[in-house]
Amino acid sequence: MSRKVNTKVGTDVTPLIAAWLREQRRQRGWSLDELAGRAKVSKAMLSKIERAESSPTAALLGRICGAYGVTMSALLFPPEKPRGRLLKRADQPIWMDPQTHYLRRQISPLSDLPFQLIEVELPPGTEVGFPAAAYAPIRQLIWVLSGRLDFVEGDTVHRMNPGDSLELGAPDDCLFRNRGRSACRYVVALTRR
């Protein structure tokens, strides 16, 4: 499925997400009921998202991507075709969670590279959680650039400061939490398992 990637914060990507989700479900021959069961998201909510009547949050997208076995980057920034080795900051695709204002920037070129680099800005006082299924197809490393990040991996809390890095363990329910007074910026390096 071909589509233009939005690169401006505030641009509504809801119709693009809706079309991608419908296409993924169609390709798999799944009903809304089947996707709802796999993603643990209500059928009514999935229907609203697929009709572009509701903009999904990062946590909701994480559950849906987990059900499909794809990364959020594959959903938000699909590599339609290689675009060269240089990706200027002004051209890097950006997506903002409508609820938490979590900001996700694809900093690696959209290509067939075996890894991806994503910069995230997590506003103060917010948290974003993802189910273990969202991590099943990937391995990740988190590197904190600024601010403080509490990364909750199952029952373990990793308190991270600027310069700290963490390789994620086996897939588990995870929570990114910023208890600070300023935004936390971190880079996620990911590769498929």
Side-chain angles (χ1 to χ4, degrees), residues 42-186:
S42 76
K43 181 179 168 183
M45 177 54 75
L46 289 171
S47 179
K48 284 182 179 181
I49 293 168
E50 283 194 1
R51 291 191 319 264
E53 293 174 1
S54 179
S55 183
T57 64
L60 189 60
L61 286 178
R63 289 199 298 272
I64 294 168
C65 288
Y68 283 138
V70 300
T71 65
M72 279 182 60
S73 293
L75 183 156
L76 296 170
F77 316 120
E80 296 157 355
K81 60 183 177 182
R83 296 188 181 167
R85 296 179 300 145
L86 176 64
L87 182 59
K88 299 271 190 178
R89 183 168 177 86
D91 297 327
Q92 295 169 354
I94 298 170
W95 176 75
M96 182 182 288
D97 180 307
Q99 184 177 29
T100 63
H101 297 184
Y102 154 106
L103 187 67
R104 181 182 177 101
R105 175 186 297 273
Q106 182 76 28
I107 57 177
S108 54
L110 301 173
S111 71
D112 59 357
L113 283 171
F115 68 91
Q116 295 176 6
L117 296 175
I118 296 110
E119 179 184 0
V120 176
E121 184 173 304
L122 188 62
T126 61
E127 59 184 44
V128 176
F130 298 99
Y135 296 98
I138 57 176
R139 296 196 61 199
Q140 292 189 70
L141 178 104
I142 302 166
W143 177 35
V144 177
L145 301 174
S146 64
R148 294 186 54 205
L149 177 68
D150 287 351
F151 181 72
V152 183
E153 186 176 30
D155 295 329
T156 305
V157 178
H158 304 279
R159 300 197 189 291
M160 301 176 68
N161 293 302
D164 293 350
S165 62
L166 172 69
E167 178 183 356
L168 274 63
D172 206 341
D173 292 344
C174 294
L175 182 72
F176 293 83
R177 180 185 302 138
N178 180 359
R179 291 187 179 179
R181 293 182 179 160
S182 60
C184 175
R185 286 182 45 246
Y186 54 94

Side-chain angles (χ1 to χ4, degrees), residues 6-14 16 94-96:
N6 287 283
T7 58
K8 295 180 183 165
V9 175
T11 301
D12 186 9
V13 297
T14 303
L16 299 174
I94 298 170
W95 176 75
M96 182 182 288

